[in-house]
Amino acid sequence: MASIRCPHCGSPVMIRGNRWECGWCGDFGGISSLHSSEKAKLLQRAAPSISITVTVTDTGEAEAETEETPRSFSRTELEDMVRRWDFSENEQACRDLLIAAFPAAAGYWSAQELSGMDVMDLLVETGARNPETAIEMMKLLLSTAESRLQDPETAAYLLGNVLYDLCLSGYIRPRLLERLKTDDRLARQLFQSAYVGSPQEDILLSCAQLGEEELRQKLLDLLSGNPFPHDDLS
């Protein structure tokens, strides 16, 4: 079972009854304050496992027990879940979409190892091995869920949680800046969503450090047109 993540910093939290506590940032709260995807993890954890017992009477064999096989989803089905932001059928739809769309990258790990990762783990681990592929994964997630980036809760989950560590990674930043020079859609997704915070601030800082003043101004112009309340990052 994947870790339950803190809605503030994205670190694993401890569950105590109907409350959670984050050992990293010290935040805490009731279960109802967690992101919807994290509450879905708790529901799945609490759900009883299902097994089917079959008794064979015509052959004299003993009872045979078989476990229900987990349902698999096609890439089209996973894209639809992420586009609708509905994870009632598969709480790991974001992760599974990336596995389906990038089988070569997913091949770095066994099926068992992948099952223990969440989408953030997969992005960060891929970024350490293949930064360009990790950026493509980022683009796929943002483009598939693009209509949801104007929803503050969803945007905060994607940019402030799922993509947070990836955007701050030293493996990613120089390559991400190069993409942002020509990929206007990605630039809008990152700088005109309903969430603005550390990822955007770090990208702008990297522009200043690497002498990318033209790109920095382009991103600041996008940010100035962002209709959602945000801090001044100039």
Side-chain angles (χ1 to χ4, degrees):
M1 174 65 65
S3 300
I4 308 301
R5 300 282 181 173
C6 174
H8 178 70
C9 71
S11 299
V13 302
M14 295 177 290
I15 302 298
R16 303 183 186 278
N18 62 353
R19 298 185 64 78
W20 58 269
E21 297 178 10
C22 179
W24 178 256
C25 69
D27 201 3
F28 61 90
I31 297 300
S32 60
S33 64
L34 292 170
H35 291 307
S36 57
S37 61
E38 305 306 292
K39 287 185 280 189
K41 294 179 185 179
L42 287 174
L43 289 175
Q44 186 181 53
R45 179 181 293 177
S49 59
I50 299 174
S51 63
I52 304 171
T53 302
V54 180
T55 303
V56 182
T57 58
D58 58 344
T59 62
E61 295 183 6
E63 292 183 349
E65 294 185 355
T66 58
E67 293 186 354
E68 184 179 89
T69 302
R71 181 183 169 189
S72 60
F73 298 92
S74 68
R75 175 174 174 176
T76 299
E77 290 175 312
L78 293 167
E79 286 179 343
D80 183 59
M81 292 176 195
V82 175
R83 187 175 295 110
R84 293 184 291 108
W85 209 249
D86 180 358
F87 307 127
S88 56
E89 292 185 273
N90 181 0
E91 67 171 44
Q92 293 291 353
C94 290
R95 179 201 66 190
D96 291 349
L97 171 59
L98 298 183
I99 291 173
F102 299 91
Y108 290 130
W109 301 280
S110 67
Q112 183 177 4
E113 289 171 328
L114 287 171
S115 69
M117 294 182 180
D118 59 19
V119 62
M120 184 193 304
D121 297 329
L122 180 60
L123 284 164
V124 172
E125 293 295 332
T126 301
R129 292 173 177 266
N130 192 327
E132 294 293 341
T133 298
I135 292 174
E136 291 300 325
M137 287 180 167
M138 174 197 296
K139 289 180 57 178
L140 176 61
L141 273 184
L142 290 175
S143 296
T144 305
E146 189 165 29
S147 64
R148 305 288 303 183
L149 291 176
Q150 303 306 299
D151 171 62
E153 183 177 351
T154 305
Y157 175 70
L158 273 171
L159 296 176
N161 188 0
V162 171
L163 298 176
Y164 183 89
D165 287 344
L166 184 67
C167 287
L168 300 184
S169 168
Y171 299 108
I172 297 296
R173 275 179 291 171
R175 295 170 174 83
L176 181 57
L177 296 189
E178 287 301 314
R179 291 294 186 94
L180 290 173
K181 290 179 183 179
T182 57
D183 194 329
D184 292 339
R185 183 181 183 183
L186 179 58
R188 288 194 303 271
Q189 289 166 342
L190 289 174
F191 283 83
Q192 291 195 326
S193 78
Y195 173 85
V196 175
S198 294
Q200 293 92 341
E201 184 177 17
D202 192 74
I203 290 171
L204 291 171
L205 179 60
S206 296
C207 287
Q209 291 173 337
L210 297 175
E212 297 288 356
E213 189 55 39
E214 184 177 346
L215 174 60
R216 183 174 181 274
Q217 188 58 53
K218 168 186 172 179
L219 299 178
L220 284 172
D221 289 344
L222 288 174
L223 200 56
S224 68
N226 189 324
F228 296 94
H230 59 271
D231 294 334
D232 182 6
L233 303 183
S234 59

